[in-house]
Amino acid sequence: QVQLVESGGGLVQAGGSLRLSCVASGTIFRVNHMGWYRQAPGKQRELVATITTTAFTTYADFVKGRFTVSRDNAKNTVYLQMNGLKPEDTAVYYCFQYVANWGTGYWGQGTQVTVSS
């Protein structure tokens, strides 16, 4: 089917930047919307950003102006550029891609982002 592999997480100081990537592989003819979610310890998973096939983007209020989501359709890849990171951004970040030919969405395994103060 489809597998999503994330990369780019790590430890960074407050104010720093990271760029997450998520590549989908498998039998893929078309990916509709893509997105990033995050889950901090003891909290529910929450939406961070989404991007449609026409590159229309939406962001959670807590990342507006700091994070940028983008995609490369030819590579079935979604990116999340994170600038101005804060300690409260510490979480496991998950990517999501809706693969139209399978009629379902798929999740990445998650990548840890830790921001120190």
Side-chain angles (χ1 to χ4, degrees):
Q1 286 194 349
V2 175
Q3 289 187 327
L4 272 57
V5 177
E6 303 169 10
S7 61
L11 173 64
V12 64
Q13 289 187 332
S17 299
L18 286 173
R19 188 189 193 215
L20 306 183
S21 300
C22 172
V23 182
S25 61
T27 304
I28 301 170
F29 300 130
R30 178 182 173 86
V31 178
N32 288 349
H33 61 278
M34 301 177 174
W36 290 93
Y37 294 71
R38 72 184 188 186
Q39 187 167 18
K43 295 187 177 181
Q44 291 187 333
R45 190 172 299 189
E46 59 186 358
L47 175 68
V48 175
T50 63
I51 183 167
T52 68
T53 53
T54 56
F56 179 80
T57 58
T58 60
Y59 296 94
D61 287 343
F62 52 76
V63 302
K64 282 183 179 177
R66 299 189 297 127
F67 291 10
T68 302
V69 62
S70 60
R71 63 189 285 168
D72 185 331
N73 293 326
K75 297 180 179 179
N76 295 323
T77 301
V78 59
Y79 304 96
L80 185 67
Q81 178 66 45
M82 305 185 292
N83 298 328
L85 283 162
K86 305 176 181 179
E88 52 263 44
D89 293 320
T90 295
V92 177
Y93 284 71
Y94 298 89
C95 68
F96 175 88
Q97 297 193 27
Y98 187 89
V99 181
N101 53 288
W102 288 103
T104 189
Y106 294 87
W107 291 92
Q109 81 283 1
T111 185
Q112 177 70 46
V113 172
T114 303
V115 185
S116 63
S117 57

